[in-house]
Amino acid sequence: MGERSVTIAIPVHNGANYLGEAIESALCQSHPETEVIVVDDGSDDDGQTLAVVRAFGSHIRTLRQSNSGVAAALNTALTCASGRLFSWLSHDDLFEPGKTERQVQILDTLDRDDICLFSDLSWIDSTGRVTGEQRLDPAALARNPRLAFYEGLINGCTILTARDLLLRVGGFDTRYPYTQDYRMWWRLTREAHFVHVPHCLLRSRLHPDQGSHRRDALSENSAFWSDVLGETSEVEAAMVDGSRERFLKRTGGFLRYRSPNRRVADHADRMAQASAAEASVSVVVDVGSDLAAARRAIDSVESQTRLPDEMVLIGEDSILMALGRDGGCDRVLRPTPEQRTPTRLRLGLRAARGAYVALLMSPDVFASDKIARQVARMSALGCLASHSSYRSGGETVATGSFGGRVYPEIVGDCHVEISTVMIQRVLFLAGLLFMDDDAPLASNWIDIAARHEWLGLEEALSVVETPRAPGERALLLTWLRASAEYRHHTVQIGRLERRLADATLPIRASLGGSDAAA
């Protein structure tokens, strides 16, 4: 079979009542390269299920095994399938006639091997009568595909994906007779990209004999979601909801109101309350060329009301050796002769392990409660990037009022000072920070603003000896004019041109945007 070939697997155990309809719906698929495999999982109903299967003759492939559960039956089908693409159909459900062809066409368009398609569905009763539909929000799932898993939106029988992808993640886990499908989707969130197809391609039957209604099924489901809560990392949670705290609160709400897992929901709420205090924090410090100033910067980090888990120190080898590795928190030394700031910060971020990373450029220093305040606000609001007001020359510069959805306004003048910034490390992992060694620092803040909200904190949480943002306006203007992504913002670029022409205009005059905390 070819590159577009499909295997439809139908696992069944004592399912003579609905199996014939399921097989017919699979055979009626309009996609030409389709095989149907029925895996008889040790049926013992006096040959009734086997009789239904035999009635279809050579139109289907039949595999038999001792009763081992749905996961084992699906793994048997995976191993024996001829199709490059794989889908499965419960013996009591029905495919819509165009299901396979529509999904294959979408996969052809996407042209990627890591895609897992899923779709909307209709509900039917024991007689086949349509009783309702599950139509998902395409826009929300396009923005955040992982919500498909974390909000329990994937019905396994709507799936179409590469057979090799399922084999690569180990197939279906036979230890879990009721949650084998969701444990598979959970693994796939780390290996694949889920794509929602906004059409009802499945008729899913609801009837009293389904195994999911059994008490042991509910117990296994609760254990599964407990595993999800405990094993979803801070970075993974941030990719879904912006922070682990927000992830736990939303998942707790889902478990409380849309599932039978009240006890697990209570556990999620307790975890959420503690998550900000437990979040890991790194501080990346560019030590500069003045040893005494570097020591003051480091002292300001080590006197925080909430100590970070580590400091990553970047700079000349001789200064790093003089500073040493000992201190109030772990120190990671990253010597470099490189003088360009983006290159140095990228080196520091590569070494950082914290979920939250604060940036500090010596001779600047932190206020004593900077880390505690910034992490708490970012965690509560699910913001991936924040900055604050700062003190300079004995005065407060109120840049923290610049927050919220500040794009494209930020193109007209960027008020973010690097020593006020804290990010969720997922931004760096996504390739949004310091990828261009010769670009102005402000370009990184604009890249973030184009995709995410900036959280602005009104408090002056850093002391900045010499603000960098005003001094790089000319470089920023040149970069914007050359940028294919941003040069069309002519109104904002014109504002930046006027600022350069009148360098005495107070910085407060053009601050705008709405604080994300409002």
Side-chain angles (χ1 to χ4, degrees):
M1 298 179 76
E3 285 294 302
R4 304 172 82 248
S5 58
V6 176
T7 292
I8 300 172
I10 306 178
V12 61
H13 173 75
N14 296 346
N17 50 351
Y18 301 118
L19 177 60
E21 293 178 69
I23 294 174
E24 287 177 359
S25 77
L27 290 174
C28 285
Q29 292 304 297
S30 52
H31 181 64
E33 287 189 281
T34 302
E35 73 166 353
V36 179
I37 297 178
V38 175
V39 183
D40 182 0
D41 184 41
S43 294
D44 54 4
D45 55 357
D46 297 324
Q48 295 180 61
T49 295
L50 186 58
V52 173
V53 173
R54 284 174 175 166
F56 290 92
S58 61
H59 294 291
I60 63 175
R61 291 175 62 192
T62 305
L63 305 173
R64 301 193 70 191
Q65 64 182 34
S66 59
N67 183 224
S68 306
V70 174
L74 289 170
N75 288 339
T76 296
L78 273 173
T79 302
C80 299
S82 300
R84 191 185 75 82
L85 304 172
F86 188 86
S87 62
W88 64 287
L89 176 62
S90 293
H91 81 278
D92 47 2
D93 291 343
L94 304 172
F95 279 167
E96 296 292 355
K99 189 256 190 196
T100 302
E101 183 172 22
R102 183 186 291 272
Q103 288 184 311
V104 170
Q105 289 172 348
I106 293 171
L107 286 177
D108 285 345
T109 302
L110 296 173
D111 194 25
R112 288 173 52 170
D113 292 330
D114 63 345
I115 297 296
C116 190
L117 297 180
F118 68 102
S119 77
D120 298 337
L121 56 85
S122 304
W123 303 110
I124 58 175
D125 62 16
S126 58
T127 67
R129 181 176 62 89
V130 174
T131 59
E133 293 182 338
Q134 175 181 277
R135 290 193 177 271
L136 310 177
D137 184 345
L141 291 170
R143 290 191 303 269
N144 196 346
R146 286 178 175 80
L147 282 179
F149 166 74
Y150 285 105
E151 291 202 343
L153 303 177
I154 302 171
N155 181 298
C157 294
T158 70
I159 287 287
L160 183 69
T161 191
R163 170 176 169 261
D164 286 347
L165 178 60
L166 299 179
L167 290 171
R168 189 166 72 241
V169 298
F172 294 87
D173 195 327
T174 57
R175 295 173 297 172
Y176 302 100
Y178 304 106
T179 59
Q180 77 286 330
D181 52 348
Y182 257 78
R183 288 185 182 273
M184 169 65 84
W185 317 145
W186 189 19
R187 295 200 301 278
L188 285 179
T189 61
R190 297 160 179 173
E191 300 284 342
H193 184 71
F194 284 93
V195 174
H196 170 234
V197 180
H199 300 279
C200 291
L201 301 181
L202 174 76
R203 278 174 273 169
S204 180
R205 197 183 305 265
L206 299 175
H207 58 88
D209 297 331
Q210 288 174 305
S212 58
H213 298 302
R214 295 172 53 175
R215 178 173 296 180
D216 48 353
L218 298 177
S219 176
E220 184 180 302
N221 188 267
S222 293
F224 166 67
W225 283 106
S226 292
D227 289 346
V228 170
L229 294 178
E231 296 177 28
T232 298
S233 70
E234 290 176 301
V235 169
E236 287 174 320
M239 293 172 75
V240 179
D241 285 303
S243 71
R244 183 161 174 76
E245 181 176 351
R246 295 268 290 196
F247 163 77
L248 290 166
K249 286 180 177 178
R250 186 195 50 74
T251 306
F254 156 68
L255 294 172
R256 187 177 309 283
Y257 300 114
R258 291 168 50 197
S259 84
N261 295 293
R262 305 294 188 271
R263 197 180 310 178
V264 186
D266 291 341
H267 180 51
D269 290 344
R270 290 191 296 271
M271 292 175 69
Q273 292 172 9
S275 59
E278 294 173 350
S280 57
V281 182
S282 300
V283 179
V284 173
V285 184
D286 188 327
V287 300
S289 57
D290 183 329
L291 180 58
R295 285 184 170 138
R296 289 193 296 272
I298 290 170
D299 286 346
S300 77
V301 176
E302 297 198 324
S303 62
Q304 290 290 299
T305 56
R306 173 183 174 166
L307 273 178
D309 297 88
E310 66 174 5
M311 273 193 295
V312 180
L313 307 182
I314 323 159
E316 295 287 343
D317 187 67
S318 59
I319 293 182
L320 294 184
M321 291 303 103
L323 292 169
R325 294 184 179 273
D326 297 329
C329 58
D330 288 343
R331 294 188 187 184
V332 179
L333 308 185
R334 286 292 181 266
T336 176
E338 175 63 58
Q339 295 302 307
R340 289 176 296 185
T341 299
T343 314
R344 291 160 74 98
L345 292 173
R346 185 170 68 248
L347 178 65
L349 282 167
R350 281 178 179 166
R353 295 167 295 176
Y356 293 97
V357 185
L359 306 176
L360 179 59
M361 302 287 291
S362 176
D364 302 342
V365 297
F366 285 167
S368 62
D369 57 350
K370 174 189 166 70
I371 290 177
R373 286 178 176 271
Q374 214 155 358
V375 169
R377 291 284 294 283
M378 290 179 70
S379 176
L381 296 170
C383 290
L384 299 179
S386 71
H387 74 116
S388 72
S389 300
Y390 60 91
R391 300 275 297 169
S392 185
E395 297 183 355
T396 295
V397 184
T399 51
S401 62
F402 190 70
R405 297 197 176 277
V406 296
Y407 181 81
E409 182 179 0
I410 192 172
V411 172
D413 203 4
C414 179
H415 309 297
V416 177
E417 283 296 329
I418 192 165
S419 291
T420 72
V421 169
M422 179 179 284
I423 63 155
Q424 229 292 345
R425 190 162 59 96
V426 70
L427 288 180
F428 180 69
L429 298 176
L432 272 182
L433 286 168
F434 311 123
M435 296 297 119
D436 186 343
D437 293 333
D438 297 314
L441 287 172
S443 68
N444 298 281
W445 319 141
I446 292 172
D447 283 341
I448 291 173
R451 295 158 180 84
H452 304 283
E453 288 191 5
W454 269 97
L455 170 61
L457 288 85
E458 296 280 0
E459 307 97 315
L461 299 180
S462 300
V463 177
V464 177
E465 184 166 302
T466 304
R468 292 169 174 80
E472 67 170 8
R473 284 175 180 151
L475 181 60
L476 177 62
L477 179 60
T478 300
W479 180 83
L480 288 167
R481 286 169 172 167
S483 169
E485 185 173 0
Y486 302 119
R487 64 190 177 199
H488 66 281
H489 292 299
T490 53
V491 172
Q492 289 76 20
I493 291 174
R495 186 186 309 141
L496 182 58
E497 290 170 340
R498 291 191 295 275
R499 276 202 165 278
L500 278 166
D502 186 3
T504 62
L505 188 65
I507 190 171
R508 195 71 178 85
S510 72
L511 295 181
S514 58
D515 195 320

